[in-house]
Amino acid sequence: MKIIRYTDRSQRIHWARYQDDGIATKINFDSSNNITLTNEPADVVKVLAPVDPRAIWCIGLNYQLHAQETGAKVSEYPVLFMKGLNTLQHPGDPILLPTHLASQEVDYECELAVVIGRMCKNVSRDHALEYVLGYTCANDVSARDWQKRYGGSQWCRGKSFDTFCPLGPCLVTPDGIPNPNNLNIYTILNGETVQESNTSDMIFDVPRLIEFLSGSTTLLPGTVILTGTPSGVGMSRTPPVWLKEGDIVTVEIEKIGPLTNPVSREC
C-alpha cells in the first residue's frame, strides 16, 4: 500500500492511500498505527513528507562501495549519528543552502528510510521487520565542510541544517516491500544519474539496523531510520560536485518512486 500525508484546501493534514486506479482515498490511523480504509476521495492540495518524525537516526558508511570510495574502514558496528527534526523537508520544497552559517560543500545522499510503527526495544533481527510501518525515500543532505572540518569531529552540525532531510513522496507498507534489501536506488541531479545501486550492497541490512538501534534503546512510533547512502556522492567525484542554487535533485527507489527537490539559498 502506498500512503501519502497531505493538506487539503482548508490546510488540514490527512492521510490517504493510492488505489490501483491511481485515485487517492482517505485512511485513518488509530493510536497503535493500525490503518482503517475509507472510500472517501482525498482532497490533495499539497503532498507532505509521509511522516512527522519523533526522531531521525542515521547510519553512515553502510554501503560497501561507498566505504571504498571514501577510503573508510568498515566498522564492527553501524556508524550512528542523528539529524535534528528541523531538517525535515517535503517533496517539491527547496533544499536551502546555508548562508548565515555558510557552507560551500553541500552534498546529496540518496537513502532508504525506514519508519517504525510501534514501540520497540531489544528486538531481534528475526522479528525486526514486524515493527516497520513502512519505507520511503530520503535525501541525507550534508554540508561536507561542516561535517569534515568545522564540526569538532562530530557529524551532526553538517547534517542538521534546516531542510537537510527531504522525505517522500509516499510511505510504502511492508506488504509492498517484503524485502527492503533488494531495491534499486538512485540519485538524479539535473537529469543525470549520479548514484545508482541496490540496497543489497548494505553492509548492515535493515533487520540488523533495527536490532542494533533498539538495543537497550526504545524506538518510538514515528522514528525514522536513514540506512546509509551508496557510492557516487558529490564529495568523492573528480572534481567534487556540490549542490548549487537552481539544481534539481531527485532520489528514486524502486517500488517507492521519486522524491524531487529544487535547490535554493537560505534568505
XYZ file of all heavy atoms in Angstrom, residues 97-104 143 146 157 161 266:
110
model
N 20.554 26.046 0.798
C 21.985 26.114 1.058
C 22.237 27.128 2.165
O 21.798 28.281 2.064
C 22.728 26.534 -0.210
C 22.488 25.671 -1.454
C 23.204 26.271 -2.657
C 22.933 24.233 -1.218
N 22.918 26.734 3.248
C 23.110 27.662 4.369
C 23.950 28.871 3.963
O 24.962 28.735 3.270
C 23.851 26.815 5.411
C 23.653 25.395 4.990
C 23.501 25.415 3.514
N 23.509 30.052 4.410
C 24.266 31.284 4.142
C 24.707 31.982 5.427
O 25.777 32.596 5.460
C 23.424 32.267 3.301
O 22.195 32.556 3.990
C 23.103 31.673 1.934
N 23.908 31.902 6.492
C 24.275 32.575 7.742
C 25.416 31.831 8.427
O 26.360 32.452 8.923
C 23.063 32.682 8.665
C 22.051 33.663 8.170
N 21.857 34.898 8.757
C 21.186 33.602 7.125
C 20.909 35.561 8.104
N 20.485 34.792 7.110
N 25.342 30.510 8.490
C 26.466 29.664 8.865
C 26.844 28.936 7.582
O 26.454 27.810 7.342
C 26.058 28.685 9.973
C 27.178 28.076 10.807
C 27.974 29.160 11.532
C 26.626 27.084 11.822
N 27.592 29.637 6.749
C 27.681 29.285 5.329
C 28.412 27.973 5.083
O 29.341 27.596 5.803
C 28.375 30.410 4.570
N 27.950 27.274 4.036
C 28.624 26.075 3.536
C 28.805 26.210 2.037
O 27.889 26.629 1.321
C 27.804 24.823 3.845
O 28.363 23.695 3.193
N 29.981 25.819 1.572
C 30.281 25.809 0.142
C 30.322 24.387 -0.412
O 30.618 24.196 -1.589
C 31.645 26.477 -0.106
C 31.794 27.854 0.505
C 30.736 28.824 0.035
O 30.375 28.851 -1.141
N 30.226 29.642 0.962
N 26.422 19.066 4.594
C 27.407 20.121 4.371
C 28.773 19.536 4.747
O 29.120 19.444 5.927
C 27.086 21.351 5.207
N 31.292 21.452 7.042
C 30.944 21.411 8.464
C 31.024 19.995 9.019
O 31.344 19.795 10.191
C 29.556 22.002 8.682
C 29.560 23.485 8.592
C 29.195 24.256 7.522
C 30.002 24.389 9.597
N 29.385 25.585 7.800
C 29.867 25.702 9.068
C 30.496 24.224 10.885
C 30.216 26.838 9.805
C 30.836 25.358 11.612
C 30.694 26.636 11.086
N 26.550 18.706 13.072
C 26.466 20.080 12.579
C 26.288 20.101 11.052
O 25.437 20.812 10.516
C 27.710 20.873 12.982
C 27.802 22.296 12.432
C 26.736 23.234 12.963
N 25.426 23.030 12.335
C 24.315 23.684 12.668
N 24.343 24.592 13.619
N 23.191 23.434 12.056
N 21.353 21.171 9.202
C 20.798 22.461 8.806
C 19.349 22.281 8.369
O 18.928 21.189 7.950
C 21.628 23.067 7.674
C 22.994 23.513 8.101
C 24.135 22.821 7.700
C 23.158 24.626 8.911
C 25.398 23.221 8.089
C 24.419 25.048 9.313
C 25.547 24.345 8.905
N 19.388 29.949 1.378
C 18.760 30.493 2.570
C 18.729 32.025 2.482
O 19.735 32.651 2.120
C 19.549 30.065 3.811
C 19.032 30.626 5.120
C 19.996 30.390 6.257
O 21.204 30.225 6.016
O 19.524 30.368 7.406
